[in-house]
Amino acid sequence: EKLKLSKQQAEALQAEDDTTLGLRKLESDLLNIWDELLNEIYGDLEEILSEDEMDGLRIEQRDWIEERDNQALEASLEFEGGTMEPLVYITVLANITEQRCYELVEIYMK
C-alpha cells in the first residue's frame, strides 16, 4: 500500500518550470520520496528478518548503493561539465531507488 501511495505522490509532482534547475528540483523531490520509503522498508525488514537474513541484506544493500551511485555517475558523465550532468545523475538515482523499493518488497514482504 505504501508503494502505491508513494507512486501516486511521485506522479503528482510537477516541475516548477522547464529549466534544468526546475527539473533537478523535481528529480530531487522524487529521490526524497523513494529514499524515505526505502529507509522505511529497510526498517520494517529489520523487524521481520532473522539476524542472518538481515546481515545478508546489509551487505547486499551496501553493494546496491555502490552500484546505484556508479550507474548514476556513468550516465551523467555523458554530459560532463554541462548543465545536464547533475540532472541525469539525480534522475538515475531516483529511478534506481524506486526500483529497489519494489524489489525489496517483492523479495522479502510477500
Side-chain angles (χ1 to χ4, degrees):
E1 186 64 29
K2 289 180 183 181
L3 280 171
K4 184 179 178 181
L5 291 174
S6 293
K7 185 71 169 176
Q8 290 171 345
Q9 183 182 6
E11 289 174 347
L13 290 179
Q14 295 182 1
E16 294 173 8
D17 55 51
D18 290 336
T19 65
T20 305
L21 187 60
L23 295 173
R24 280 177 47 194
K25 169 78 168 85
L26 171 64
E27 291 299 330
S28 179
D29 291 346
L30 289 170
L31 177 58
N32 286 336
I33 288 169
W34 295 115
D35 193 51
E36 285 178 20
L37 182 60
L38 182 64
N39 287 327
E40 189 174 334
I41 291 167
Y42 193 82
D44 290 346
L45 290 175
E46 285 182 314
E47 294 179 20
I48 63 173
L49 296 179
S50 69
E51 271 189 58
D52 288 343
E53 289 172 314
M54 200 60 211
D55 288 343
L57 180 58
R58 281 187 192 96
I59 293 167
E60 180 183 322
Q61 196 66 7
R62 281 187 219 113
D63 292 343
W64 172 82
I65 290 168
E66 186 177 332
E67 179 63 25
R68 177 200 63 180
D69 293 352
N70 287 337
Q71 286 182 29
L73 179 61
E74 185 177 319
S76 70
L77 288 178
E78 182 178 338
F79 303 94
E80 189 171 13
T83 58
M84 290 294 291
E85 181 180 4
L87 174 59
V88 170
Y89 184 84
I90 196 134
T91 299
V92 172
L93 288 179
N95 290 338
I96 294 174
T97 303
E98 177 185 1
Q99 291 169 2
R100 183 64 172 168
C101 289
Y102 282 93
E103 184 178 283
L104 288 177
V105 168
E106 178 70 25
I107 293 171
Y108 295 104
M109 297 179 148
K110 282 190 168 188

